[in-house]
Amino acid sequence: AQKVTQAQTEISVVEKEDVTLDCVYETRDTTYYLFWYKQPPSGELVFLIRRNSFDEQNEISGRYSWNFQKSTSSFNFTITASQVVDSAVYFCALSEYKGGGNKLTFGTGTQLKVEL
Amino acid sequence: SQTIHQWPATLVQPVGSPLSLECTVEGTSNPNLYWYRQAAGRGLQLLFYSVGIGQISSEVPQNLSASRPQDRQFILSSKKLLLSDSGFYLCAWPDRARNTIYFGEGSWLTVV
């Protein structure tokens, strides 16, 4: 069975600090996808990134960066120079292809609070 | 362009009353559709998924049911709500062309 672990329940930082959100996953599939989603207080899920299991290159998008390490089954997310608008719950998710479609297994989320 | 919508956005229902949440997608055909629930302070749990009209798979035993009456319509229902049904419900659609999964706006259900 697939499993995603986000051990950090809540993180509080001061604005402009860097913060890393951890994600560890378990799967028996050789082909899979990993995702990060942001859930602001309004509730909708905002797609941030998708990474497939064959692409271990790290990615940077503005203040966001992701570190995918297959050897440790981790897909960590770093926000550089955090801002108050980054305050949200962040979910890591793992996708398996089953029954004709993709199904996401989510971690329990990390609540990030960025304060002035 | 492809979009996914769900409604109502918020709902307060008494225990024992029925429920109907609707999800529709636009700009695609024969989509796979999913219902997730997020209980307060917890992660997202897959409830149902559907690969086509009339085809429903349930992931967890529960008080809810789902139906797929039309290609781009996915409905989450209950005949009698329980307090434990409260939560945030999300409809999801995997976009195969972009290899990602999109979510509807979400429906906040409070059972009182």
Side-chain angles (χ1 to χ4, degrees):
Chain A
Q2 304 206 343
K3 184 179 179 181
V4 177
T5 302
Q6 294 179 256
Q8 304 150 307
T9 304
E10 185 173 317
I11 301 175
S12 291
V13 299
V14 176
E15 200 174 38
K16 296 184 184 178
E17 285 185 6
D18 299 346
V19 58
T20 295
L21 310 180
D22 298 332
C23 173
V24 175
Y25 63 92
E26 296 176 26
T27 180
R28 292 181 180 179
D29 293 347
T30 55
T31 302
Y32 52 88
Y33 292 88
L34 294 162
F35 299 80
W36 275 96
Y37 286 89
K38 175 182 180 180
Q39 186 180 42
S42 55
E44 77 271 23
L45 279 175
V46 179
F47 167 77
L48 296 178
I49 190 172
R50 171 191 56 84
R51 170 68 73 223
N52 76 54
S53 52
F54 295 107
D55 183 1
E56 291 194 64
Q57 284 190 342
N58 292 329
E59 182 161 339
I60 298 174
S61 177
R63 296 184 297 108
Y64 295 169
S65 63
W66 291 269
N67 184 353
F68 176 31
Q69 294 199 352
K70 210 168 179 177
S71 60
T72 56
S73 297
S74 65
F75 186 43
N76 296 337
F77 173 31
T78 297
I79 301 175
T80 303
S82 60
Q83 300 176 2
V84 172
V85 293
D86 295 327
S87 297
V89 179
Y90 291 85
F91 289 97
C92 180
L94 173 66
S95 172
E96 67 171 321
Y97 187 80
K98 180 178 177 181
N102 295 85
K103 292 167 59 178
L104 279 177
T105 300
F106 285 86
T108 50
T110 297
Q111 171 84 58
L112 174 63
K113 294 183 179 179
V114 182
E115 300 167 336
L116 292 171
Chain B
S1 62
Q2 300 93 332
T3 57
I4 178 170
H5 298 290
Q6 60 179 106
W7 65 91
T10 60
L11 202 58
V12 179
Q13 292 285 97
V15 170
S17 64
L19 170 73
S20 181
L21 301 179
E22 188 167 343
C23 171
T24 59
V25 295
E26 299 174 1
T28 187
S29 60
N30 196 31
N32 293 337
L33 295 171
Y34 305 90
W35 278 111
Y36 286 87
R37 175 172 60 197
Q38 184 181 27
R42 303 179 70 178
L44 286 142
Q45 180 185 39
L46 178 62
L47 302 177
F48 300 97
Y49 72 95
S50 172
V51 299
I53 295 174
Q55 300 179 65
I56 308 294
S57 295
S58 174
E59 288 295 295
V60 294
Q62 58 199 304
N63 183 44
L64 302 168
S65 62
S67 61
R68 182 85 177 264
Q70 299 180 39
D71 182 42
R72 289 174 286 179
Q73 184 184 35
F74 198 25
I75 297 173
L76 183 69
S77 305
S78 173
K79 292 182 179 179
K80 291 185 178 181
L81 284 169
L82 305 172
L83 286 174
S84 57
D85 291 325
S86 294
F88 185 54
Y89 289 83
L90 283 158
C91 182
W93 161 55
D95 183 343
R96 296 172 189 167
R98 292 174 177 77
N99 236 331
T100 190
I101 301 176
Y102 294 109
F103 291 86
E105 303 92 335
S107 300
W108 293 97
L109 171 65
T110 303
V111 182
V112 296

